[in-house]
Amino acid sequence: MYILSPSLLGADFKILGSQIKETEKAGAEYLHIDVMDGIFVPSISFGMPLIKSIRPASRQFFDVHLMIVNPERYIGDFVKSGADGITFHLEASENPKEVIDKIHAEGVQAGISIKPATPVEEVYPYLPFVQMVLVMSVEPGFGGQAFIPESLDKIRQLREYIDANDLSVRIEVDGGIDKENVRKVIEAGADIFVAGSAVFKEPGITENVSCFMQAFKEYTF
Ligand code: DX5
Ligand code: ZN
């Protein structure tokens, strides 16, 4: 079952509520929410108040991607604001297992993410404990960058490891995914697809989301 997770960063914030609803209506089951602190990544995006304010606009799974240092400090706050799943960066944490336990203690799903330069082997020890592993296919920090082709090998390698070890963790891929390259990402073994620019650009959300849904259908038997 493939899932599209439109990245809020790509939305038009003047009309945020209606844009979110349109992604939901068009078939996107998740909403990807990028939180940046200006330290782990160069840019600053948004935080708890924004998530709380958009929560009533959608029944989608709020897929919160923390690009922040010391993620353990804010887990309770993000859950209170409406997160259904929290993904943090392996590179941002000294004790990833503790962060995972803290996320679960708050009653939501846990995800762990790796940047393009981090070898996949580094997340293996945490895979039995998380619901999702997020492979960054661009350098985290900004929307609208080009997909790094080497990410496909990382996805394939993870898929093989997960299947060989009978793990139930899902693979999410984030950065530079569009309706042209999504099939390659599906074939590499991903389950959840983040897309910002490709969802919110012209000709429009409904049409763009349908292109992704069509690709998912082609690979669903
Ligand atoms: C980048 C973010 C992404 C980004 C994706 O740091 O994690 O979620 O918004 O945007 P596109 O799809 O435009 O690459
Ligand atoms: Zn993201």
Side-chain angles (χ1 to χ4, degrees):
M1 187 53 206
Y2 300 113
I3 290 175
L4 180 67
S5 193
S7 171
L8 207 60
L9 267 190
D12 179 351
F13 278 61
K14 303 193 287 304
I15 48 167
L16 198 49
S18 68
Q19 295 238 305
I20 294 168
K21 287 199 175 84
E22 191 174 344
T23 67
E24 181 175 31
K25 215 168 150 204
E29 293 171 51
Y30 279 29
L31 185 68
H32 187 81
I33 302 174
D34 287 303
V35 177
M36 304 179 183
D37 66 354
I39 301 170
F40 183 71
V41 288
S43 190
I44 297 177
S45 57
F46 39 71
M48 290 74 92
L50 179 123
I51 300 173
K52 199 172 169 198
S53 136
I54 60 171
R55 186 64 276 188
S58 158
R59 281 191 295 269
Q60 285 158 310
F61 182 96
F62 274 16
D63 168 29
V64 174
H65 176 195
L66 298 183
M67 284 164 275
I68 65 173
V69 296
N70 304 127
E72 62 284 348
R73 285 178 62 194
Y74 299 103
I75 288 158
D77 292 327
F78 280 109
V79 172
K80 277 191 208 86
S81 309
D84 294 300
I86 294 183
T87 298
F88 67 99
H89 271 266
L90 174 69
E91 304 89 354
S93 170
E94 273 168 24
N95 195 335
K97 179 62 169 56
E98 257 175 36
V99 183
I100 294 166
D101 291 344
K102 208 157 176 187
I103 296 171
H104 287 151
E106 292 289 340
V108 300
Q109 294 191 21
I112 190 161
S113 181
I114 49 169
K115 298 207 274 187
T118 304
V120 278
E121 291 82 5
E122 293 191 18
V123 282
Y124 288 176
Y126 307 103
L127 295 181
F129 309 112
V130 292
Q131 284 65 56
M132 189 164 91
V133 53
L134 169 56
V135 177
M136 287 305 301
S137 42
V138 298
E139 209 50 62
F142 302 96
Q145 306 179 74
F147 185 88
I148 299 173
E150 288 76 24
S151 315
L152 293 171
D153 288 330
K154 294 176 81 176
I155 302 162
R156 280 186 210 108
Q157 195 184 326
L158 261 174
R159 178 85 273 154
E160 274 174 30
Y161 182 86
I162 289 168
D163 292 349
N165 290 281
D166 222 2
L167 298 165
S168 60
V169 53
R170 290 185 299 167
I171 302 175
E172 180 173 59
V173 183
D174 181 8
I177 299 181
D178 58 32
K179 58 179 197 286
E180 278 78 41
N181 64 22
V182 66
R183 286 172 180 78
K184 279 191 196 152
V185 187
I186 295 173
E187 285 166 12
D191 304 293
I192 304 167
F193 304 79
V194 177
S197 325
V199 164
F200 293 97
K201 69 176 186 188
E202 295 298 317
I205 296 168
T206 305
E207 206 163 309
N208 294 333
V209 171
S210 333
C211 292
F212 284 99
M213 295 301 136
Q214 176 55 40
F216 295 166
K217 229 163 101 186
E218 287 166 24
Y219 287 86
T220 307
F221 306 104

